Amino acid sequence: MTELDVEATPSPLVELDQERYARFRTSFEAVTNLGHRLLAARLAAADVLPAPGAAAGRDELLARLAVSPGYQRLGEALLDMLERADLLRRHGDRLAVTERVSGAAGLAGDAAVDAAATALRREHPEAAGYVPLLVACQTQLIEVVRGERPANDVLFPGGSADLVAAIYRDNVQLDFHNRLCADRVREHVLGFLRRYPRSYAQVLEVGAGTGATTGPVLDALAERAERLRYFYTDVGPAFLRLGRQGFGATRPHVDFARYNVEGAPGEQGIEPGSMDVVLASNVLHATLRISGALRHCHALLKPGGVLVVNEMTSRLDYNTLTFGLAEGWWRHAEDEPRVESSPLLDVPGWRAALRAAGFVDVRAYGVPGLADGEQVQTVFTATAPGGTGPAR
Ligand SMILES: C[S@@+](CC[C@H](N)C(=O)[O-])C[C@H]1O[C@@H](n2cnc3c(N)ncnc32)[C@H](O)[C@@H]1O
């Protein structure tokens, strides 16, 4: 049964401009294509790939790439990607370099890369924000995977989040899913306040980061701010400082606290069983064990409370080529069921994980008209059992 039921939320918050979204998908594909070509050009220039037409064993290619221990999974994922992109072609147990690599070879120099990036941004403004991070990551890939340059120097040069933030700016896909989160949180908060007219609703956000999801959620809750306590949490103190700057001054109902979702709330000064809604946007995939993180989210909730999860549910080569440079992308435990060559779960995987963690009434929301397997990003809601029925 496909349970993606975005149509069941007829709120202006979750309207999607389908034409613009289709343009975005086409543009994003063009960005990914540039990523494949940059990767091939870099590996060819560093003599990791032999000349077009020549072949090598997989282990030999990995040895030439010479990844440091934390990047073994990335090395494997890059070879798989080159094969899917027809830059490498399997012949028996060897991989032959295809002619497509000759076409990419012109992208070895900085000037050629700049020209290709500029042309792509001009032709595909819908996904232009993705280009600078991709170029930065691919032009420094070899140094990072060999442990010669810290990934953070590439992803956050000089400590700045600008390259990553550019992705979020005016992004039709991310905006839509953030609004979907906001709509789900709002529905449950309003339901709670209707049922308990003399109480405060308590919402805790896990891994709030720079607040990309927090903003739309707080805006959607603004009319009930006087009846709300919102806990902006993250494992990183720097993000709490950013959160305070962004939301602290104008919103007295927002509190800031350090919380690591890999640990139990009670051990970190947060009352177990005290939240009406827990929100986790683009954070749970980064944990060692999603099963443990979900148990801790469950522990935060009152009986009948709702967890809202926003997660990438398809492996995208773009993410492997960029966020895959962060060692944290690959840190999940060996025995954790994740989508191959990624830290992600797909839609059925999230449903199963949420149910296994004891949640009931698990629902998934995504782009209308797309099947589960085509959803790049999905919002899930799941209820901690024991309440007195859905607070609608
Ligand atoms: C990709 S960012 C997402 C930020 C924000 N939620 C959004 O959707 O834009 C991931 C965030 O999760 C935080 N994070 C990573 N591991 C965490 C953990 N174990 N507990 C809490 N937060 C964590 C990171 O510090 C970072 O701010």
Side-chain angles (χ1 to χ4, degrees), residues 168 178 205-213 234-236 239 259-262 281-283 285-287:
Y168 287 87
N178 284 338
E205 183 175 357
V206 174
T210 55
T213 307
D234 201 281
V235 70
F239 289 115
Y259 176 58
N260 179 352
V261 73
E262 293 190 0
S281 180
N282 297 309
V283 51
H285 68 267
T287 56

Side-chain angles (χ1 to χ4, degrees), residues 17-25 126 170-172 175:
D17 180 339
Q18 289 278 6
E19 268 177 37
R20 190 171 164 218
Y21 183 66
R23 280 200 307 277
F24 169 82
R25 295 275 289 217
E126 294 287 351
D170 200 24
N171 181 317
V172 63
D175 286 352

Side-chain angles (χ1 to χ4, degrees), residues 299-385:
L300 282 162
L301 287 165
K302 297 176 185 170
V306 172
L307 171 65
V308 178
V309 173
N310 181 23
E311 273 293 342
M312 295 167 267
T313 44
S314 300
R315 182 193 59 214
L316 297 177
D317 288 348
Y318 178 87
N319 289 337
T320 309
L321 292 170
T322 53
F323 301 115
L325 267 59
E327 282 189 74
W329 187 255
W330 305 101
R331 66 185 285 270
H332 51 275
E334 287 285 344
D335 58 356
E336 275 270 295
R338 309 276 176 123
V339 171
E340 203 187 342
S341 299
S342 86
L344 311 178
L345 292 182
D346 57 12
V347 173
W350 276 107
R351 285 186 201 287
L354 287 160
R355 288 186 184 123
F359 287 100
V360 295
D361 195 18
V362 175
R363 290 161 187 259
Y365 302 89
V367 173
L370 293 187
D372 278 13
E374 296 169 319
Q375 299 287 342
V376 165
Q377 184 90 27
T378 307
V379 172
F380 298 88
T381 59
T383 304

Side-chain angles (χ1 to χ4, degrees), residues 192-193 198-202 226-229 276 302:
F192 173 85
L193 292 176
R198 283 183 291 276
S199 297
Y200 282 78
Q202 300 224 104
E226 81 292 351
R227 303 271 313 279
L228 178 70
R229 278 194 81 191
D276 298 292
K302 297 176 185 170

